[in-house]
């Protein structure tokens, strides 16, 4: 392995050169960052380029798309290359028992409390390149900018790549940040993927240590705060012409699996009135979910993202249909009320058709407010850059909501094109990434001032 990980020799350097030559084309808001302390004009811009590089095999499980699920060879490849980038930025690099990759830039005093900057390296299936990795790569750029001026702080900075925010391989998510926050329960390690492999088995094969997972938990007294930069994944900032926003809180969510059970049969010989077909019942249930959430308040949303008819053949009436439900709202109370109403409707729909329904809760995350004092520092950072300090909530889930159990958290949102995310069309501009890195540096300045006071 070279210092540049798995990239062909010279590939990264030529990418940087092409970026440098494009700097002269940048105009307007970007020029604000040109004179600031940065890394040869590439602060934040290199972070975006690195996300782009990680958007294809070996960093994706499939050609022509980005799918990087937890504990796969694509995850491994991404961690190897990211390790070399962290080391190049002057960090000591390690992996913990839960397969988190952690780079540490020591403070003035060895062993000082850490400001953790991070996000997730995994993706949804056929996802975008920036959801998650951008927050990590921005952290690496920010550390490199500090190192470039030889600056040490009264706290350490740790950049963390969490492995499992999306839950795209196993039914639950955020096991890596839960391990760091010390809130991962043993059951999460027993969850199985579609091939029947458990988290514990996959983690062992990856070089992690399920039996020693408790060692990944950080002590609250060792952590100063957590900062996550992330694309907004919604349209608000773009609609208002704003590059960045300060997150106020992250919505509550529940993941449920529903199974409607009927009787498998021959598609040609069983008259319609004599069937016990869970297919149309599942369709009715999905319409009920849509109706209930449309009528809801407090940002209530419901999604069926996965459905399977079993055994799954043209000529077989399914014996069972399974589908996932993701239900979110600004408050746990609104979310739970919707879960209760939807569950009652599902049971009623199944009963009316002579079928059985089973509903299993896979994951529950309470709403998670960001820390008011850190939000204030982020707002001041945006104001320093002559940016309007827009506050907005997050409907998407983030590792920050889990880290909030460990320490105060702050989140910086970055505008993304059309608000599109969980889609290969996800896009951000270099200018916005450069501004985000600058905002993070200003936030660190303010945190330093606060810690020294
Ligand atoms: C992750 O992106 C989620 O909101 O589920
Ligand atoms: Mn996501
Ligand atoms: Mn994300």
């Amino acid at each position: 392995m070279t210092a540049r990980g798995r990239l062909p020799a010279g590939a990264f350097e030529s990418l940087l050169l092409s970026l440098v030559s494009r700097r002269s084309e940048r105009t307007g808001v970007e020029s604000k960052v040109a004179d600031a302390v940065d890394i040869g004009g590439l602060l934040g811009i290199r972070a975006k380029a690195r996300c782009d590089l990680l958007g294809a095999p070996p960093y994706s499980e499939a050609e022509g798309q980005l799918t990087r699920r937890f504990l796969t060879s694509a995850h491994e490849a991404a961690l190897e290359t990211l390790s070399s980038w962290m080391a190049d930025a002057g960090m000591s690099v390690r992996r913990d028992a839960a397969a988190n990759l952690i780079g540490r830039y020591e403070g003035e005093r060895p062993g000082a409390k850490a400001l953790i900057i991070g996000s997730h390296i995994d993706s949804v299936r056929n996802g975008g390149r920036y959801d998650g990795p951008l927050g990590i790569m921005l952290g690496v750029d920010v550390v490199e900018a500090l190192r470039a001026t030889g600056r040490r702080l009264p706290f350490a900075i740790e950049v963390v790549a969490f492995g499992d925010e999306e839950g795209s391989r196993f039914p639950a998510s955020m096991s890596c940040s839960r391990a760091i926050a010390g809130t991962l329960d043993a059951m999460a390690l027993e969850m199985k993927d579609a091939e029947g492999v458990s988290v514990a088995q996959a983690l062992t094969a990856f070089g992690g240590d399920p039996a020693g997972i408790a060692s990944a938990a950080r002590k609250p007294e060792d952590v100063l705060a957590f900062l996550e930069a992330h694309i907004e994944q919604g349209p608000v900032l773009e609609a208002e012409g704003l590059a960045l926003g300060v997150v106020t809180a992250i919505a509550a969510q529940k993941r449920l699996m529903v199974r409607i059970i009927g009787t498998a049969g021959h598609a040609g010989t069983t008259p319609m009135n004599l069937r016990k077909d869970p297919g149309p019942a599942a369709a009715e249930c999905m319409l009920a979910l849509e109706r209930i959430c449309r009528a809801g308040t407090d940002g209530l949303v419901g999604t069926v993202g996965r459905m399977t008819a079993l055994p799954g053949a043209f000529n077989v009436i399914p014996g069972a249909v399974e589908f996932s439900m993701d239900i979110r709202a600004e408050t746990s109370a609104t979310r739970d009320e919707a879960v209760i109403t939807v569950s009652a409707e599902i049971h009623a729909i199944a009963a009316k058709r002579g079928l059985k329904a089973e509903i299993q809760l896979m994951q529950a995350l309470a709403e998670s407010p960001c820390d008011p004092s850190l939000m204030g520092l982020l707002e001041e950072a945006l104001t320093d850059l002559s940016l309007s300090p827009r506050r907005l909530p997050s409907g998407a889930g983030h590792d920050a909501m889990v880290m909030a159990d460990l320490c105060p958290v702050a989140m910086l949102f970055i505008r993304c094109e059309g608000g599109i995310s969980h889609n290969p069309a996800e896009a951000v501009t270099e200018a916005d990434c450069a501004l985000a890195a600058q905002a993070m540096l200003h936030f660190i300045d303010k945190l330093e001032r606060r810690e020294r006071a």
Side-chain angles (χ1 to χ4, degrees):
M1 191 66 46
T2 67
R4 296 299 182 195
R6 293 181 176 217
L7 296 176
F12 194 74
E13 287 71 13
S14 39
L15 179 87
L16 288 190
L17 275 176
S18 79
L19 285 172
V20 173
S21 62
R22 274 197 285 141
R23 274 180 66 206
S24 54
E25 294 162 22
R26 291 188 284 129
T27 54
V29 76
E30 315 81 300
S31 62
K32 275 191 208 138
V33 302
D35 300 331
V37 173
D38 71 10
I39 44 173
L42 291 172
L43 184 74
I45 295 169
R46 186 180 65 177
K48 176 181 181 301
R50 285 175 163 170
C51 295
D52 293 338
L53 278 165
L54 296 189
Y59 311 109
S60 169
E61 296 169 56
E63 285 290 345
Q65 61 165 261
L66 172 56
T67 297
R68 186 166 54 238
R69 294 173 307 145
F70 185 37
L71 304 176
T72 58
S73 61
H75 182 195
E76 176 61 40
L79 293 195
E80 283 177 21
T81 294
L82 177 55
S83 297
S84 68
W85 291 338
M86 285 176 163
D88 287 352
M91 288 180 259
S92 55
V93 186
R94 69 183 177 94
R95 288 192 199 186
D96 69 12
N100 287 298
L101 183 73
I102 304 168
R104 183 172 169 104
Y105 179 70
E106 201 49 83
E108 290 163 346
R109 189 175 50 77
K113 277 184 165 203
L115 165 66
I116 301 181
I117 299 177
S119 194
H120 59 100
I121 195 76
D122 66 323
S123 79
V124 294
R125 287 172 194 270
N126 197 16
R129 297 188 300 268
Y130 310 106
D131 172 6
L134 186 58
I136 305 167
M137 305 309 157
L138 284 169
V140 176
D141 271 9
V142 161
V143 167
E144 181 133 5
L146 294 171
R147 199 201 36 171
T149 52
R151 190 163 153 211
R152 296 282 166 179
L153 300 161
F155 45 86
I157 296 188
E158 293 190 14
V159 178
V160 177
F162 303 111
D164 177 36
E165 190 265 2
E166 301 287 8
S168 46
R169 177 167 176 191
F170 300 97
S173 65
M174 306 204 200
S175 45
C176 291
S177 43
R178 285 179 210 251
I180 288 187
T183 57
L184 188 73
D185 55 57
M187 255 179 52
L189 294 173
E190 295 317 315
M191 292 216 169
K192 294 198 165 86
D193 68 8
E195 278 72 49
V197 179
S198 71
V199 175
Q201 289 165 332
L203 190 55
T204 304
F206 199 78
D209 179 13
I213 205 88
S215 67
R218 303 296 296 266
K219 295 195 193 87
E221 58 270 28
D222 290 341
V223 182
L224 178 62
F226 175 69
L227 171 65
E228 181 165 6
H230 201 287
I231 56 167
E232 182 201 341
Q233 305 182 277
V236 175
L237 293 175
E238 185 179 68
E240 296 182 14
L242 302 173
L244 305 177
V246 178
V247 177
T248 52
I250 305 169
Q253 53 170 277
K254 267 189 176 168
R255 288 183 172 201
L256 304 112
M257 273 309 289
V258 182
R259 187 176 171 93
I260 313 282
I261 303 156
T263 306
H266 198 291
T269 60
T270 321
M272 294 305 282
N273 63 330
L274 297 180
R275 296 179 178 212
K276 290 214 164 152
D277 184 350
E284 260 194 72
C285 295
M286 290 176 213
L287 290 173
L289 173 67
E290 183 190 43
R291 178 172 35 78
I292 290 161
C293 292
R294 269 178 185 255
T297 53
D298 291 342
L300 180 66
V301 285
T303 306
V304 173
R306 193 186 292 179
M307 52 189 116
T308 316
L310 299 163
F314 271 64
N315 58 353
V316 182
I317 299 165
V321 169
E322 291 175 344
F323 61 93
S324 63
M325 291 198 302
D326 178 309
I327 300 180
R328 306 184 190 202
E330 281 160 26
T331 65
S332 299
T334 303
R335 173 205 63 186
D336 289 345
E337 203 183 306
V339 168
I340 290 167
T341 312
V342 171
S343 302
E345 286 237 14
I346 289 174
H347 285 295
I349 290 164
K352 188 181 71 189
R353 291 171 169 271
L355 307 168
K356 200 172 151 226
E358 293 170 354
I359 304 175
Q360 194 184 355
L361 178 66
M362 309 306 289
Q363 172 163 294
L365 291 167
E367 72 275 21
S368 176
C370 292
D371 180 73
S373 132
L374 295 181
M375 272 163 54
L377 297 188
L378 261 184
E379 282 184 340
E380 286 173 30
L382 298 200
T383 308
D384 283 356
L385 293 166
S386 311
L387 299 172
S388 149
R390 171 71 153 97
R391 289 185 170 213
L392 70 171
S394 173
H398 298 288
D399 291 294
M401 69 198 300
V402 169
M403 292 296 281
D405 286 330
L406 175 70
C407 62
V409 305
M411 277 200 79
L412 177 68
F413 265 175
I414 303 158
R415 161 171 61 189
C416 61
E417 197 179 302
I420 293 170
S421 185
H422 285 184
N423 183 320
E426 214 171 68
V428 283
T429 66
E430 289 177 351
D432 287 355
C433 293
L435 278 175
Q438 286 294 324
M440 291 163 81
L441 280 171
H442 281 263
F443 172 85
I444 288 167
D445 283 349
K446 289 169 198 309
L447 197 58
E448 177 184 17
R449 217 165 302 146
R450 195 186 78 177
E451 288 304 295
R452 289 198 194 281

